[in-house]
């Protein structure tokens, strides 16, 4: 039972429908109601969906609206708990998840899953081809949404850059921050460029566990201060 204005903005749906029919994206991104008119567009990028047989989500996974439904139920409506999404919300908004308030964050941003097929279970990890396919789909997504900043929730995608599609460039990822957070050395803010759009990229550790939201937020505040100001609640 999804709520939150039934999956939010459909402004870009004609373009995503064409991309879906062409086999470029499996699931439409979540697009918050305020995102299309925002002066600071933020695209949050998670890693993957997985098949949950206990929740009987196999049929739903086949629908292009699956990511949107997950966000509507799990985040905006706070229907069932998820450490990954709750930690990420706290990092981006500066506040712990509070029912009836966290939806204000997700109305501001767009969100999609990088890996374009579901994992068979929570323990399965994407393979090399999954990341190749993910980067192949990436320019289509960002050329439609035109974000100013991409926030990668997890280092896996940017650690798999062996076969980028023609026209996609990532610059500045060879450097590392000097101080570690939660056992991970962060990357600095970097540049992402497609044939049609240029944006900033930042990365936080996967927020599923061993994730200190305020420390990663402090990093993002230093790297993209205006963005974090816009996301604050």
């Amino acid at each position: 039972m999804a709520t939150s204005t039934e999956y939010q903005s459909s402004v870009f749906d004609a373009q995503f429908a064409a991309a879906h029919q062409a086999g470029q994206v499996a699931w439409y991104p979540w697009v918050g109601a305020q995102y299309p008119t925002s002066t600071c567009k933020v695209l949050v990028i998670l890693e993957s969906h997985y098949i949950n047989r206990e929740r009987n989500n196999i049929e739903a996974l086949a629908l292009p609206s699956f990511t949107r439904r997950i966000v509507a139920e799990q985040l905006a409506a706070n229907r069932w708990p998820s450490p990954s999404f709750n930690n990420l919300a706290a990092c981006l908004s500066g506040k712990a998840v509070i029912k009836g308030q966290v939806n204000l964050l997700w109305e501001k941003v767009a969100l999609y899953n990088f890996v374009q097929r579901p994992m068979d279970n929570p323990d399965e990890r994407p393979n090399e081809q999954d990341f190749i396919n993910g980067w192949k789909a990436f320019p289509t997504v960002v050329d439609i949404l035109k974000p100013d900043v991409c926030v990668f929730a997890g280092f896996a995608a940017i650690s798999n850059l062996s076969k980028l599609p023609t026209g996609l460039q990532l610059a500045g990822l060879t450097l590392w921050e000097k101080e570690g957070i939660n056992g991970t050395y962060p990357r600095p803010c970097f540049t992402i460029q497609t044939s049609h759009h240029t944006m900033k990229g930042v990365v936080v550790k996967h927020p599923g566990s061993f994730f200190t939201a305020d420390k990663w937020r402090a990093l993002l505040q230093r790297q993209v201060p205006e963005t974090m100001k816009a996301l604050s609640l």
Side-chain angles (χ1 to χ4, degrees), residues 207-219:
S209 60
F210 304 105
F211 183 89
T212 307
D214 59 346
K215 291 184 178 180
W216 287 102
R217 179 173 174 80
L219 173 76

Side-chain angles (χ1 to χ4, degrees), residues 30-187:
W30 161 275
V31 181
Q34 298 178 31
Y35 180 90
T37 57
S38 175
T39 58
C40 182
K41 291 182 170 62
V42 179
L43 174 61
V44 179
I45 303 167
L46 300 182
E47 184 177 289
S48 56
H49 290 309
Y50 70 90
I51 295 171
N52 188 328
R53 291 175 175 82
E54 292 182 1
R55 296 188 70 238
N56 298 316
N57 73 344
I58 298 175
E59 183 176 342
L61 274 163
L63 301 175
S65 60
F66 184 73
T67 296
R68 293 181 175 183
R69 177 176 142 179
I70 288 294
V71 177
E73 293 183 353
Q74 186 167 298
L75 300 179
N78 201 24
R79 187 180 175 208
W80 45 281
S82 165
S84 294
F85 285 117
N86 289 351
N87 288 336
L88 184 58
C91 172
L92 297 178
S93 71
K95 291 188 176 182
V97 173
I98 300 174
K99 188 174 182 179
Q101 186 182 62
V102 70
N103 62 303
L104 299 177
L105 168 67
W106 301 108
E107 288 175 1
K108 295 180 179 182
V109 303
L111 178 150
Y112 93 110
N113 273 67
F114 189 84
V115 175
Q116 293 291 295
R117 72 171 177 95
M119 302 292 99
D120 188 62
N121 58 70
D123 295 323
E124 183 185 6
R125 300 291 300 130
N127 57 39
E128 182 182 8
Q129 190 61 49
D130 289 323
F131 289 109
I132 291 172
N133 292 341
W135 283 118
K136 187 176 180 180
F138 181 82
T140 298
V141 174
V142 296
D143 284 346
I144 293 172
L145 292 174
K146 292 183 170 51
D148 299 299
V149 176
C150 292
V151 179
F152 289 81
F155 286 82
I158 66 162
S159 298
N160 286 272
L161 303 173
S162 60
K163 296 182 181 179
L164 293 179
T166 301
L168 176 63
Q169 298 180 28
L170 282 74
L173 273 171
T174 56
L175 303 174
W176 298 80
E177 292 277 337
K178 294 180 180 179
E179 296 185 8
I181 304 174
N182 296 145
T184 301
Y185 281 92
R187 300 293 183 93

